[in-house]
Amino acid sequence: MRDLPSLNALLAFESVARTGSVRAAADHLSVTSGAVSRQIRQLEEHFGIPLFQRYGRGLMLTHAGSAYFQQISTHFEGLRQAGQILHRSAGRAVIRLHSFTTFATRWLIPRLTAFQLAHPAIDVRLTTASDWDDAADFDAAIRLGSGEWPQMHATPLVENTLVPVFRPAPGRKTRLDPENLAQHTLLRVRGRPDDWRLWGDAFGIETRRLTNWRELESSALAYQAALEGQGVALAQRVLVEKELAEGTLIALDDYRLDCGSLTYYLVWNRSSLKQTNLRLLEAWLTERETSDFQPGNPA
């Protein structure tokens, strides 16, 4: 297998092929036209095939040269884009953070906003998804589980308590009794199919006998449906604190199920080179009081 050609020769070739001119390429590379021509000859000697066809004072790519340019041009463009990203991020550390969508919108984003103001040299780039993807690429992530993931550092963020919630309405009793759940539409989340069963088992309620179900794609949709009076949602209480405080939702607080170690964790690989900044983010998310992030309170 032949060695790769010199980088200078590749730069000269790419620049001439892109601009169509040795002089323009020389100006772009801040060298002489003669230097560019020598690099082109060197590249042609390396491959043993003409890459340009000379006509008058100009150059035209041969068939082989055109095919080679198409192959390498995408890589050069990638290098340029990577350089632009570095320039834009100069002096800033980047943390790529991945989270479940509902948790991000209802709990995480207000805290990240305050974190960015307090740590302007750290750029947190958040991506979200409704379901966990093992192929997701991140520096840190919010995961739901028991906290045991191989090679991962994991810190719990919230208490995960499940509680039925519904919208108060004229003529409806303020306190909904578990015994009359069959009279209501129960909102079930497709990605959390076992929540109602686990809750029912904890309080001796046979939810399998209940038949009036409505299935929704995400917890966010279930909470919105409950807000609109379309049924009873089994909520992770920490994600509906705002609605409970405002009175737009009511919780069956006598029937709260503490899920213990099954909760949301901030996780990252133990070998991460970004641990210093990740620990700053971890401290911020675990030590700040909830009241710091209520509307009207400075963060």
Side-chain angles (χ1 to χ4, degrees):
M1 181 177 179
R2 302 193 65 177
D3 293 334
L4 290 172
S6 75
L7 180 58
N8 285 339
L10 286 174
L11 285 169
F13 169 76
E14 191 273 343
S15 189
V16 172
R18 179 165 46 82
T19 63
S21 165
V22 170
R23 176 173 294 179
D27 291 341
H28 177 72
L29 298 172
S30 299
V31 296
T32 65
S33 296
V36 171
S37 296
R38 285 191 295 273
Q39 293 294 341
I40 296 297
R41 285 197 298 272
Q42 179 183 334
L43 191 63
E44 291 177 326
E45 290 170 2
H46 175 87
F47 289 116
I49 189 172
L51 300 174
F52 289 98
Q53 178 181 349
R54 280 85 178 164
Y55 67 97
R57 295 184 177 181
L59 294 176
M60 178 180 294
L61 284 166
T62 63
H63 179 73
S66 178
Y68 188 57
F69 175 66
Q70 289 179 16
Q71 289 291 321
I72 70 169
S73 60
T74 56
H75 300 291
F76 275 90
E77 183 58 29
L79 289 172
R80 291 189 186 95
Q81 291 178 5
Q84 291 170 0
I85 292 172
L86 282 178
H87 282 302
R88 289 196 298 268
S89 301
R92 303 187 75 193
V94 174
I95 295 176
R96 297 170 303 153
L97 180 61
H98 189 65
S99 173
F100 293 105
T101 303
T102 303
F103 189 83
T105 55
R106 288 184 161 264
W107 189 91
L108 181 60
I109 288 176
R111 289 158 175 80
L112 284 185
T113 301
F115 177 80
Q116 296 276 213
L117 292 173
H119 299 279
I122 302 176
D123 182 9
V124 181
R125 300 179 182 175
L126 177 65
T127 58
T128 65
S130 296
D131 300 308
W132 179 256
D133 180 4
D134 284 326
D137 187 22
F138 55 81
D139 299 311
I142 308 297
R143 294 198 66 170
L144 179 64
S146 61
E148 299 293 331
W149 294 281
Q151 286 82 52
M152 302 298 282
H153 169 87
T155 299
L157 295 177
V158 297
E159 180 182 273
N160 185 21
T161 301
L162 296 178
V163 63
V165 298
F166 59 96
R167 186 181 76 174
R172 175 183 289 172
K173 290 192 297 183
T174 300
R175 297 185 61 81
L176 183 98
D177 294 324
E179 290 75 14
N180 62 25
L181 281 178
Q183 302 173 21
H184 300 271
T185 299
L186 303 183
L187 305 171
R188 181 165 50 197
V189 177
R190 189 169 303 164
R192 302 174 61 89
D194 297 327
D195 280 2
W196 274 107
R197 179 185 59 79
L198 293 173
W199 177 85
D201 289 348
F203 296 103
I205 300 168
E206 296 186 54
T207 54
R208 69 177 183 273
R209 293 188 176 182
L210 303 177
T211 58
N212 195 11
W213 297 97
R214 180 183 174 195
E215 188 171 80
L216 295 161
E217 184 68 29
S218 68
S219 296
L221 293 177
Y223 302 158
Q224 187 60 39
L227 281 166
E228 294 177 4
Q230 297 178 16
V232 180
L234 188 60
Q236 293 162 290
R237 200 181 196 284
V238 70
L239 302 184
V240 293
E241 291 288 358
K242 178 176 178 289
E243 288 79 6
L244 294 177
E246 293 173 345
T248 53
L249 284 178
I250 294 176
L252 268 176
D253 276 329
D254 289 342
Y255 294 88
R256 288 187 289 184
L257 173 61
D258 187 344
C259 296
S261 63
L262 179 62
T263 188
Y264 290 98
Y265 291 79
L266 177 67
V267 305
W268 67 77
N269 194 295
R270 294 184 186 277
S271 62
S272 174
L273 298 178
K274 300 184 178 183
Q275 289 200 47
T276 298
N277 288 329
L278 289 173
R279 290 194 181 278
L280 284 175
L281 178 61
E282 175 187 79
W284 186 273
L285 295 180
T286 57
E287 294 175 7
R288 302 286 283 185
E289 294 294 333
T290 302
S291 59
D292 289 348
F293 302 98
Q294 296 301 320
N297 290 341

